[in-house]
Amino acid sequence: MKCNIICNFATEKTQESKMQDINSSNIQKLESMISQARKIAVVTHQKPDGDAMGSCTALYHFLSLCGKDSIRIILNDRYPAYLDFIVSDIPDTDLLVFSERPLETGIILRDSDLIFCLDFNAFSRTDKLEPFLAGSKAEKVLIDHHLNPDRAAFDLSFSETDISSASELLYNVLMSTSIIAQNAENLPLKACTALMTGMTTDTNNFSNSTYPSTLLMASDLLAAGVDRDEIISRIYNQYGENRLRLLGHILKDLLVITDDGVAYIVLDRNTQKKYSVAEGDTEGFVNMPLSIAGVRMSILVKEDEGRIRVSIRSRRGTSANGCARQFFNGGGHENAAGGRLDVPKDIPGIEAAAEYIERHTHIYLNGDNE
Ligand code: 5GP
Ligand code: MN
């Protein structure tokens, strides 16, 4: 039997194959796992963003609604401060960061009997949580929208790539449960706010990955009472002056555009220190060069503590995911991906990043070394 959400899409031929994992058998399995679990952990990828925190927070409130009293969100590292507003109702005892409390979080993961994995496709994306997840005897549920999910690592998988965000996928999973019964008003308002936030950040406020299902979700969440103006203000209008000053410096002095139509920015530690860059301050920068005609791919390289992080965005017809997988030790979505450069395997240091990017994107886009 198909669940309601799929029946609703039956009029749209292109949508018929969407969200196949949301069927009555998987939903029943999920409901039975939840009702039998005593200790539940919710985890997401390292450096959690709006979608990661939005989906974890919404699931936390849903599980509370189901009567669960031992739910712990475990993060590899702390989320950016601008997301405080969605997690402010979760007590500190239920939201723990591995880098701050490694012993306690390790024990919680070890003792959990059900673990939800949200917004990532393989344990390696959780960094230091990976060995705990791989070694855990708990049942594991995946809810994710990335390419190439490692389904074999999970007891139950909800995976869909033609969707805006993990938050949108989770929304549809929750709507299909008997307690929510396809009525968003049955979801706690805090969960609705978190889901709207996650979808909004992953679509860059409806500028990419926006499907008919995304707008249906947004409409239902608005009708259920979500204050979207407040969310937009929290996400986009609370930055410090430093962020805009840094953006000015980047656009004037650091942005490079190659003959292949690759725009790239290398942000070293010194520049970040000079502009007091905090986690989340460079959010959105990598998308901006795609506004220039002829730019096919945009890359932001950021020197981080002990690692060099890479963000890649591409126009339709060029695969950011392919480039990330082939040359930047990463992956993600077709037009939004990420990865890292390893020192000294890939480059001797951040000063060699520009040459590496130019050489490898040239090979990637032209298929030769000239
Ligand atoms: P961002 O550039 O916003 O950090 O990431 C863009 C997308 O690429 C996200 O969906 C993210 O999950 C994915 N991504 C970022 N870093 C990595 C990585 O190191 N490995 C993989 N497989 N995906 C990544
Ligand atoms: Mn996501």
Side-chain angles (χ1 to χ4, degrees), residues 251 255-265 285-300 311-319 335 357 361 365:
L251 297 180
L255 176 66
V256 179
I257 302 173
T258 73
D259 292 344
D260 293 315
V262 174
Y264 71 88
I265 300 157
F285 286 1
V286 67
N287 297 294
M288 292 177 181
L290 286 180
S291 65
I292 303 166
V295 170
R296 302 151 76 181
M297 191 151 70
S298 170
I299 300 180
L300 174 72
S311 281
I312 309 179
R313 300 293 182 271
S314 62
R315 240 180 245 276
R316 199 180 283 184
T318 300
S319 174
N335 300 120
I357 294 167
T361 54
L365 294 171

Side-chain angles (χ1 to χ4, degrees), residues 62-208:
F62 171 79
L63 293 169
S64 299
L65 181 74
C66 294
K68 296 287 133 180
D69 55 11
S70 175
I71 315 156
R72 260 55 178 274
I73 297 176
I74 307 289
L75 306 173
N76 180 69
D77 28 28
R78 189 155 281 283
Y79 53 84
Y82 81 92
L83 291 169
D84 270 337
F85 78 103
I86 54 169
V87 296
S88 58
D89 293 304
I90 300 180
D92 284 350
T93 46
D94 290 353
L95 196 162
L96 297 99
V97 180
F98 183 87
S99 57
E100 295 165 9
R101 292 148 91 171
L103 272 179
E104 211 176 333
T105 46
I107 290 169
I108 290 170
L109 286 176
R110 190 196 64 196
D111 293 348
S112 295
D113 39 32
L114 178 59
I115 301 180
F116 283 93
C117 297
L118 304 184
D119 197 29
F120 66 89
N121 54 2
F123 294 157
S124 58
R125 292 281 295 122
T126 64
D127 197 13
K128 301 224 166 50
L129 305 185
E130 179 180 6
F132 296 95
L133 296 176
S136 162
K137 290 195 175 64
E139 291 195 297
K140 295 174 202 87
V141 179
L142 174 74
I143 302 177
D144 178 53
H145 68 129
H146 292 91
L147 297 162
N148 316 111
D150 183 10
R151 284 180 185 263
F154 299 93
D155 300 281
L156 179 60
S157 296
F158 296 95
S159 168
E160 171 63 58
T161 52
D162 286 338
I163 200 161
S164 67
S165 52
S167 295
E168 186 188 331
L169 183 57
L170 174 64
Y171 167 78
N172 283 288
V173 169
L174 300 184
M175 289 288 274
S176 302
T177 60
S178 45
I179 190 168
I180 306 300
Q182 300 295 347
N183 183 355
E185 289 182 9
N186 292 334
L187 280 168
L189 185 57
K190 294 166 198 162
C192 294
T193 300
L195 292 169
M196 181 77 97
T197 302
M199 177 276 289
T200 301
T201 56
D202 256 26
T203 60
N204 289 304
N205 201 11
F206 298 107
S207 70
N208 56 262

Side-chain angles (χ1 to χ4, degrees), residues 315-351:
R315 240 180 245 276
R316 199 180 283 184
T318 300
S319 174
N321 176 55
C323 190
R325 284 167 72 90
Q326 203 171 331
F327 294 116
F328 295 96
N329 308 296
H333 310 286
E334 190 59 8
N335 300 120
R340 53 172 212 281
L341 283 173
D342 289 334
V343 176
K345 184 174 85 54
D346 300 315
I347 49 173
I350 190 72
E351 62 291 342

Side-chain angles (χ1 to χ4, degrees), residues 190-324:
K190 294 166 198 162
C192 294
T193 300
L195 292 169
M196 181 77 97
T197 302
M199 177 276 289
T200 301
T201 56
D202 256 26
T203 60
N204 289 304
N205 201 11
F206 298 107
S207 70
N208 56 262
S209 339
T210 302
Y211 294 80
S213 56
T214 315
L215 296 174
L216 287 173
M217 162 187 168
S219 172
D220 286 348
L221 291 178
L222 276 181
V226 166
D227 184 347
R228 210 179 130 72
D229 290 351
E230 175 66 14
I231 291 175
I232 295 301
S233 166
R234 296 282 194 161
I235 300 174
Y236 300 114
N237 300 330
Q238 304 289 337
Y239 289 111
E241 179 186 339
N242 67 318
R243 179 179 185 267
L244 228 58
R245 300 279 177 207
L246 171 68
L247 179 60
H249 173 53
I250 286 175
L251 297 180
K252 187 167 163 291
D253 303 318
L254 301 184
L255 176 66
V256 179
I257 302 173
T258 73
D259 292 344
D260 293 315
V262 174
Y264 71 88
I265 300 157
V266 177
L267 207 50
D268 63 20
R269 291 289 286 174
N270 283 344
T271 309
Q272 292 179 59
K273 230 161 107 188
K274 186 170 165 204
Y275 287 89
S276 309
V277 175
E279 193 61 41
D281 276 350
T282 54
E283 199 74 51
F285 286 1
V286 67
N287 297 294
M288 292 177 181
L290 286 180
S291 65
I292 303 166
V295 170
R296 302 151 76 181
M297 191 151 70
S298 170
I299 300 180
L300 174 72
V301 170
K302 201 170 157 191
E303 193 179 14
D304 208 359
E305 301 119 21
R307 68 180 69 188
I308 297 176
R309 287 160 65 192
V310 180
S311 281
I312 309 179
R313 300 293 182 271
S314 62
R315 240 180 245 276
R316 199 180 283 184
T318 300
S319 174
N321 176 55
C323 190

